[in-house]
Amino acid sequence: MRNTHPHRHLLIRSPRGPGTRGLVRLRRDCFVEREAWETLSVEDQHVARAVDVHRSLRGGGTVISHASAAALWGLPTWGSTLSRVHVTRAGSSGGRIEQSRHLHIDALDPLDITSRHGIAVTTPARTVLDVARTSGIEAGIVTGDAAIHKKLASMAQVRECLDRLPRRKGIHWARDAVGLIDGRSESVGESRSRLVLKDEGLPPPVLQPLLFDEGGALIGRGDFLLEERVVGEFDGRIKYGALLRAGDHPGDVVFREKLREDAIRDAGWTVVRWTWADLADPARLGEQVRRAIERARRLPAPRGTWRPS
């Protein structure tokens, strides 16, 4: 099987005929069929652009990097801009921003370069650090959590890569992000929730606890457990999509989630849920969780038990 990226087939160079109706222009001589293009997510559209930019590179030594590498690896790009394809070349000067790409000039150890679908790209570990250095700590943590959770990188690899990086702009963000990455978070919403809870001064939660009823039967897994009394749940639409089974209607998932939450409450835990909108107002979310903890403290201890997943 050829090691090529699945979006390569979308690219059309020098379309036949005098017009480009029905096509989306990526660069001067590269177009994509509009019908196919519009079926892609923003991230997949960016991957197609990255494939095109990679084909246009002259000579070796330049690799896809930063948020563009994250997109190629299937990692979340939350907090990063996808308006241009990011590439990196080893050196000390000459970086520039063009219409279709952002060329970074930086230290580039051979250990930090690999191939993804036949495309030269930074390793997942280096990608996490580059995202943190340029897009901030939170973006780096979101990408890093996913890289560890998907087993694309280990924390040892991320730390070893950090040790190889020079003292360049944003390196302090990368260091701070590395200290907070946790691969037990399973989504962007869970990663951001964890950081909000920390910034709001709430007690460190247990991530992904396994919850059992008083008879020892497994109820399910929670997103967060605070003070062993409060189960916190990030309620994102993507989460429900991931729980769909063959032949399921979305309402079936919601019903199963309701039964699961009822069982958690019956076992004595207090449950608090929040959404993307709540993450946009950290102070309000922090207060919502604090109230849940205070309510739980006034109640008997849960009859159910838990253990780490």
Side-chain angles (χ1 to χ4, degrees):
M1 182 178 293
R2 294 180 62 194
N3 187 25
T4 57
H5 195 278
H7 294 325
R8 283 178 184 263
H9 71 281
L10 293 173
L11 304 180
I12 303 172
R13 304 181 83 78
S14 303
R16 297 176 183 177
T20 58
R21 185 177 180 180
L23 299 176
V24 174
R25 182 184 181 214
L26 299 188
R27 289 184 302 111
R28 181 176 58 85
D29 62 345
C30 187
F31 297 79
V32 173
E33 293 179 352
R34 183 177 300 278
E35 184 176 353
W37 183 256
E38 290 177 349
T39 66
L40 300 178
S41 65
V42 171
E43 290 78 13
D44 281 346
Q45 288 178 354
H46 188 78
V47 167
R49 293 184 186 277
V51 171
D52 175 52
V53 165
H54 180 263
R55 292 175 61 175
S56 73
L57 295 175
R58 297 290 182 266
T62 304
V63 303
I64 304 296
S65 62
H66 296 75
S68 301
L72 274 168
W73 286 111
L75 296 172
T77 56
W78 183 89
S80 298
T81 176
L82 298 180
S83 57
R84 293 179 178 84
V85 174
H86 294 266
V87 298
T88 296
R89 187 171 68 225
S92 58
S93 63
R96 60 185 181 273
I97 298 176
E98 302 170 350
Q99 183 175 357
S100 62
R101 69 176 187 172
H102 183 160
L103 172 62
H104 303 262
I105 303 297
D106 208 341
L108 202 55
D109 193 291
L111 293 174
D112 299 332
I113 303 171
T114 188
S115 176
R116 172 77 165 168
H117 300 300
I119 296 173
V121 62
T122 50
T123 63
R126 174 61 186 262
T127 299
V128 168
L129 298 177
D130 285 343
V131 167
R133 291 165 64 205
T134 54
S135 298
I137 298 170
E138 191 170 9
I141 291 169
V142 166
T143 303
D145 283 358
I148 303 302
H149 179 72
K150 294 184 176 184
K151 302 188 186 311
L152 292 173
S154 67
M155 284 307 305
Q157 290 171 329
V158 174
R159 293 190 184 99
E160 288 168 5
C161 185
L162 180 61
D163 290 341
R164 290 194 294 271
L165 283 177
R167 293 181 176 274
R168 295 285 181 95
K169 183 179 179 181
I171 194 66
H172 60 292
W173 286 347
R175 289 197 185 97
D176 289 347
V178 169
L180 294 170
I181 290 172
D182 193 320
R184 291 175 296 175
S185 289
E186 297 183 340
S187 69
V188 174
E190 288 183 24
S191 295
R192 293 192 59 215
S193 296
R194 194 179 82 244
L195 297 177
V196 168
L197 296 177
K198 176 182 179 297
D199 290 344
E200 287 299 307
L202 288 156
V206 176
L207 304 185
Q208 309 301 325
L210 294 173
L211 307 173
F212 301 85
D213 65 21
E214 55 188 315
L218 177 65
I219 298 171
R221 212 161 29 116
D223 293 339
F224 306 93
L225 181 64
L226 298 103
E227 294 194 354
E228 301 191 19
R229 292 174 175 267
V230 176
V231 174
E233 297 276 278
F234 171 71
D235 198 358
R237 291 183 181 180
I238 295 175
K239 175 178 178 178
Y240 288 108
L243 295 174
L244 279 173
R245 301 171 184 168
D248 264 354
H249 184 276
D252 298 329
V253 177
V254 174
F255 181 67
R256 285 199 299 269
E257 280 294 290
K258 181 182 184 304
L259 293 179
R260 171 180 164 276
E261 182 170 325
D262 287 345
I264 292 172
R265 293 183 190 277
D266 286 345
W269 282 289
T270 297
V271 178
V272 57
R273 286 184 173 270
W274 57 87
T275 65
W276 286 108
D278 296 314
L279 289 178
D281 190 343
R284 184 181 67 185
L285 174 55
E287 184 57 31
Q288 178 183 351
V289 175
R290 273 189 286 271
R291 287 198 302 268
I293 291 174
E294 288 302 316
R295 288 197 305 272
R297 287 172 178 168
R298 295 193 293 267
L299 298 172
R303 298 179 301 280
T305 58
W306 69 274
R307 64 177 173 82
S309 59

